[in-house]
Amino acid sequence: MDNTSNNKPQSSYKKLFSNTLVFAIGSFSSKVLVLLLIPIYTNYLTTAELGVTDVLTQIANWLIPLVTMTISEAIIRFGLDKAYDKKRVFTIGNLICAFGLAVFGIILPIVNLTGIADKYIGGYALILFVYVMMSGIKTLYTTFVRAMEKVKLFAVAGIIATFFTLFFTAMFYMVLPSDFLGEGTGTQKYLLATILSDFITTLFVTFKAKLWKYIDFRQIDREMLSTMLQYSVPLIPAQLLWLITNSSDSFMTTHYMGAASNGILSAAYKIPNIVATVYMMFGQAWNMSAITENDSEDRDRFYENVFEFNQSLLYILAGGCMLIIQPLTNIMIGEDFRECVKYSPILIYSTIFSCFTTFMGSIYLASKKTKRSLFTSLVSGVINVGLNVILIPRIGLYGPPISTVASYVTVFIIRAFDSRKLVPFKINLRKMIISNAILLCMLAILLAETNLMSKPLLYLLVLALFCAVFIINMQSISSLLFKLLPASIAEKLSGLSRTKLAVGATGIVVFIALNVLLKFIPLYIVLIAGVLYGLKKDDKRIFITCGILFAILFAFLTKWSMFFAGLLAMSIFPLVKYTNFKYIAFTIVTLDIFLSVCINVWLGIFVALLEILALVIVYRSVIIEIAKGYAKNGRIKRRK
C-alpha cells in the first residue's frame, strides 16, 4: 500500500487515532459500567420499574435538546473554529442554557399540576427537572472542554462520571436499606445516581479547566449569539425526530403491551448498546476531525479512508456481539429478563446503520448545513412510528427492533446520497453488500435458535460466519493502521493476506469446535501446558498469565466463586520449582479465600487464625527481638 501521502493528511490520521485512543481510555470505564450495571438493574428492579425508568430517561433525552437548544453542538463547532473567540462561544452557551432551564422550570410545574402527563411523569417531576438540568450542564461543560482540545481532560471526566455512577448505584441498591428513600423508589435511585455523578463531573471539569475564566456576561456578542442560534436551532427538531426513532419503541411498547414488556425491551438494548458506545469513542474523535479538516485539500480522500475503516470496524463489532450475545445474556441478564435474547440480535444489527447515519450526519455539522439533518430525521421518525403502530399489535416485541432497523437503513441511504454532494467520497458497495449478507445469515440463525449452546454445530456455523466477516474487513482496518503505527509493525499487519487470515481463522474455528465438543478440555490442556512452559523457561509472565486464564475459564464454566479454586490449583505449580516466600504466601492466602468463598466463611477465618498462630510460634524469637528493640529505641530495627 502507498504510504507516501503528504504530511498534512498523515498528521490528520494520527490526530484522529490519538484522539480516538484518548476517548477509548476515557470510555473504557463506561463500557465496564454498562456490563456491571446490567446485573444490578435486572436483579434489583422489577420489569415494571425498569420500564418506567426507561420511559423517564427517554423523556429527559427529549427535553434536553429543547431546554438547551442543542447549544452544545454549536459549542463544539464554533469552539474548534479558530475564527471565533472561545470565551464568547462559552459565555453564549451558558446564557442560552440558563434561559432554557428557567423556561423549563416555569412550564414543568404547570404541566404537573394539570395532570396532562401523569401517565409518564406523575410523581417524578422534581427529580426529572434536576436530572435534565444536570445532564444539560454537564454536556455543555464537557463539550466545551473538547472544543478547547483538552481531550485527555474530557476522557478523565468520563472516567469520573462512570466511577461515581457505579458508586452511587451500588450504594443505593446494594448497600443502603432498600427503603431508605421509601418503598418502591427503584426509579428514583436510578435517576439520583446519575444526577450526583453529573454534578461531581461538572465540578471537576470546571475547576480543572478553570472554566469560570471563559464566562463574561457583561459583553454579550449579539451577532455571535445569532450565528450560534442559527446553527443550533435547526438541530432541535432534527434531534427530537432522531430521538423519536430511538425512544418511540419504549413509549409505544408501554402503550400497547405495558411497562413490564418495555422492561424486557430495555434489557434487550443493554448489550447491543455496547456496539454504539464503543463506536462513540471513534465518533467523538471523528466529529472533531470532520470539523478541523473540512477545508483541507485532501478532505475527500480522508473521508473515504475513514469511512472504509468505520464500516469495517462496525461489521466486526456487530458480528462479534452476535457471536457472544446468547452466552453473555445468560451471564449478565437477570432471569426475569432472559426473554430479551430473542430481540437483541436485531438491535445489534440496527446499530450498524445507526452509526453509519451518525457518520454521515457529521458532514452536515462540519459544513454548517444543519437544516439538512431535519429532513432525514423526519423520515426516520415517520418510518419508525408508523411501523411500530403496524407491527407491535401484530408481532409484539419483535416490532420495535424491526422498525428501528428499517428507519436507520432508510435514513442511511438518503444521507449517503445527500451528504456526498457536500463531500464526494467513495463507498465500497461490494464489501458493504457481502458483509451485510453474512451478518443477516448470522441474524437468521440467532432468531431461529435462541439456545445455540445446546446445538454446538450450529454455533460453530455462526462462528464461521463471523470469521468470514472478520477476514473480509480486517484488511481495511490494517490499511488505515499502516498510516498510524510504526512502519515495522504496520508492514506486518498490512502483509497479512486474506489467505493467511483464512488459514488462521480456520484454525481458530477448529480449535473452538474441539473445545465446544469436548467441554473445553483442549483449552485447559493448553493453559496448563503454558504454565509448565513458563516454569521451565523461567518466564513468570507466561505462567502467571496462563494460571489466571485457567482460573477464569474454570470459574466461567462452573460458577464465579470457583475462581479461587482454579487459582489455588495453579498456584501449586510454582511451589515445585520455587520455594520463595511470596509464592508460599500467595498459595496460603488463596487457600484462605477459597475456603471462605466456596465452603464457609468462618472456616476460612478459622484457618487464617491458625496460620497466624503458627507463624507467631515459628517466628516467636524474631517477634520478641523486634518488640524489645521497639520498647528500647522507640522504632522497629530492620533485621539484616
Side-chain angles (χ1 to χ4, degrees):
M1 173 183 237
D2 180 20
N3 64 330
T4 59
S5 53
N6 59 48
N7 291 332
K8 184 164 190 326
Q10 190 79 349
S11 65
S12 300
Y13 292 115
K14 288 186 179 294
K15 188 173 182 179
L16 174 62
F17 179 74
S18 175
N19 286 344
T20 301
L21 189 61
V22 173
F23 288 134
I25 294 169
S27 300
F28 175 76
S29 56
S30 67
K31 312 307 166 291
V32 175
L33 175 71
V34 169
L35 295 175
L36 292 176
L37 291 182
I38 289 172
I40 295 177
Y41 292 150
T42 55
N43 283 288
Y44 286 89
L45 290 172
T46 65
T47 54
E49 283 179 325
L50 188 59
V52 171
T53 300
D54 185 60
V55 168
L56 281 172
T57 52
Q58 297 290 359
I59 290 173
N61 290 337
W62 283 14
L63 288 170
I64 289 168
L66 282 170
V67 171
T68 64
M69 301 185 199
T70 62
I71 198 62
S72 60
E73 297 292 345
I75 290 285
I76 189 70
R77 178 61 185 86
F78 292 92
L80 281 171
D81 197 324
K82 292 179 172 57
Y84 299 93
D85 180 61
K86 285 183 171 55
K87 188 173 184 178
R88 293 182 180 181
V89 169
F90 190 53
T91 298
I92 291 170
N94 276 273
L95 181 67
I96 292 171
C97 190
F99 174 77
L101 286 169
V103 173
F104 179 50
I106 295 170
I107 294 174
L108 185 61
I110 298 172
V111 172
N112 194 44
L113 287 172
T114 58
I116 297 172
D118 273 356
K119 183 177 179 180
Y120 299 110
I121 64 171
Y124 301 102
L126 178 59
I127 197 167
L128 180 64
F129 174 80
V130 180
Y131 183 92
V132 170
M133 178 181 70
M134 285 314 311
S135 180
I137 294 173
K138 177 207 163 190
T139 302
L140 176 67
Y141 281 46
T142 54
T143 301
F144 184 66
V145 166
R146 278 177 62 204
M148 297 168 72
E149 298 191 67
K150 294 181 180 289
V151 290
K152 292 181 181 178
L153 178 57
F154 178 81
V156 172
I159 294 171
I160 290 173
T162 297
F163 170 79
F164 281 105
T165 301
L166 179 60
F167 173 80
F168 287 118
T169 301
M171 179 73 70
F172 293 159
Y173 288 113
M174 304 172 69
V175 178
L176 295 173
S178 59
D179 60 347
F180 86 99
L181 284 179
E183 292 294 338
T185 54
T187 298
Q188 286 89 334
K189 293 172 186 175
Y190 177 100
L191 298 174
L192 186 59
T194 306
I195 289 167
L196 292 173
S197 171
D198 287 349
F199 177 71
I200 292 170
T201 305
T202 302
L203 285 180
F204 170 75
V205 296
T206 299
F207 284 98
K208 191 67 179 177
K210 299 178 180 178
L211 296 182
W212 60 85
K213 293 183 177 180
Y214 293 87
I215 301 176
D216 185 1
F217 292 117
R218 293 172 297 180
Q219 296 180 344
I220 304 298
D221 187 334
R222 294 189 177 183
E223 184 179 348
M224 184 72 185
L225 173 64
S226 176
T227 302
M228 289 179 67
L229 285 175
Q230 285 176 21
Y231 180 88
S232 67
V233 169
L235 290 174
I236 297 174
Q239 281 204 11
L240 288 176
L241 289 166
W242 201 247
L243 286 167
I244 287 172
T245 303
N246 293 330
S247 58
S248 67
D249 295 349
S250 297
F251 284 93
M252 301 189 79
T253 300
T254 302
H255 175 73
Y256 284 110
M257 303 182 68
S261 293
N262 186 50
I264 299 292
L265 184 65
S266 177
Y269 269 102
K270 298 300 181 185
I271 294 174
N273 279 344
I274 295 173
V275 177
T277 47
V278 169
Y279 174 80
M280 193 183 298
M281 299 182 297
F282 169 79
Q284 289 170 333
W286 165 245
N287 197 21
M288 295 176 68
S289 292
I291 293 169
T292 55
E293 297 298 320
N294 189 53
D295 298 321
S296 66
E297 294 180 1
D298 200 44
R299 181 194 63 178
D300 297 354
R301 180 65 177 168
F302 180 63
Y303 273 62
E304 181 181 328
N305 288 338
V306 174
F307 183 77
E308 181 75 4
F309 172 85
N310 176 67
Q311 69 164 327
S312 295
L313 177 66
L314 283 170
Y315 293 142
I316 292 172
L317 278 174
C321 255
M322 286 187 189
L323 184 66
I324 64 172
I325 184 66
Q326 290 189 8
L328 198 60
T329 297
N330 291 333
I331 295 169
M332 302 301 301
I333 302 293
E335 192 171 345
D336 293 341
F337 296 84
R338 296 280 170 81
E339 182 189 345
C340 71
V341 77
K342 298 177 182 178
Y343 320 109
S344 295
I346 308 174
L347 294 170
I348 290 172
Y349 185 71
S350 74
T351 58
I352 298 172
F353 291 93
S354 170
C355 296
F356 282 173
T357 54
T358 301
F359 183 96
M360 296 300 177
S362 65
I363 297 174
Y364 296 143
L365 298 178
S367 305
K368 298 182 184 177
K369 303 292 184 181
T370 53
K371 292 180 181 178
R372 294 197 182 194
S373 292
L374 179 58
F375 171 71
T376 53
S377 301
L378 178 62
V379 171
S380 173
V382 169
I383 292 173
N384 190 267
V385 173
L387 285 178
N388 274 331
V389 171
I390 296 169
L391 296 178
I392 293 176
R394 289 168 174 78
I395 59 175
L397 283 178
Y398 284 104
I402 292 172
S403 65
T404 299
V405 171
S407 61
Y408 282 141
V409 170
T410 304
V411 173
F412 166 67
I413 292 171
I414 294 171
R415 286 192 174 185
F417 280 102
D418 183 55
S419 63
R420 288 190 302 142
K421 293 176 183 177
L422 301 172
V423 182
F425 66 94
K426 295 179 181 178
I427 294 177
N428 189 338
L429 287 176
R430 182 171 176 270
K431 185 173 75 173
M432 181 175 286
I433 292 169
I434 294 172
S435 296
N436 276 280
I438 296 171
L439 289 172
L440 286 171
C441 289
M442 293 178 69
L443 178 60
I445 295 170
L446 291 170
L447 293 178
E449 179 54 62
T450 56
N451 186 17
L452 284 177
M453 297 299 100
S454 64
K455 297 184 178 179
L457 292 178
L458 198 56
Y459 188 76
L460 289 176
L461 176 59
V462 175
L463 177 60
L465 290 170
F466 168 72
C467 289
V469 170
F470 181 83
I471 292 167
I472 291 168
N473 291 281
M474 185 58 197
Q475 204 166 40
S476 297
I477 293 177
S478 62
S479 296
L480 186 60
L481 289 176
F482 192 95
K483 296 177 178 293
L484 308 170
L485 298 174
S488 58
I489 300 175
E491 286 172 4
K492 291 179 181 179
L493 288 173
S494 295
L496 291 174
S497 65
R498 290 191 178 181
T499 303
K500 292 179 180 178
L501 285 170
V503 171
T506 303
I508 292 171
V509 171
V510 171
F511 182 71
I512 294 176
L514 289 173
N515 279 282
V516 171
L517 296 173
L518 301 176
K519 298 182 179 179
F520 289 90
I521 291 174
L523 186 54
Y524 279 125
I525 293 172
V526 169
L527 292 175
I528 292 172
V531 171
L532 296 175
Y533 177 82
L535 288 171
K536 182 179 179 181
K537 295 295 183 180
D538 200 24
D539 191 326
K540 295 176 182 177
R541 289 177 299 179
I542 292 178
F543 78 72
I544 289 174
T545 301
C546 290
I548 292 173
L549 289 175
F550 177 91
I552 292 172
L553 176 66
F554 185 64
F556 181 79
L557 296 175
T558 53
K559 54 183 181 179
W560 285 106
S561 58
M562 296 299 291
F563 170 77
F564 296 102
L567 207 59
L568 177 62
M570 288 296 99
S571 68
I572 295 171
F573 284 97
L575 297 181
V576 176
K577 184 171 183 178
Y578 305 108
T579 55
N580 193 302
F581 173 77
K582 63 183 179 183
Y583 291 108
I584 298 172
F586 178 78
T587 302
I588 291 171
V589 171
T590 305
L591 172 63
D592 295 339
I593 297 173
F594 166 71
L595 293 174
S596 299
V597 173
C598 299
I599 301 178
N600 185 282
V601 64
W602 294 109
L603 176 62
I605 294 171
F606 176 72
V607 171
L609 290 173
L610 286 179
E611 291 163 356
I612 293 170
L613 180 61
L615 285 172
V616 171
I617 293 171
V618 173
Y619 294 100
R620 62 185 181 278
S621 58
V622 176
I623 295 171
I624 292 169
E625 182 183 340
I626 292 173
K628 286 180 178 179
Y630 182 78
K632 183 177 180 180
N633 303 316
R635 60 188 178 86
I636 296 176
K637 185 179 179 181
R638 291 185 177 181
R639 300 180 79 243
K640 296 181 181 179

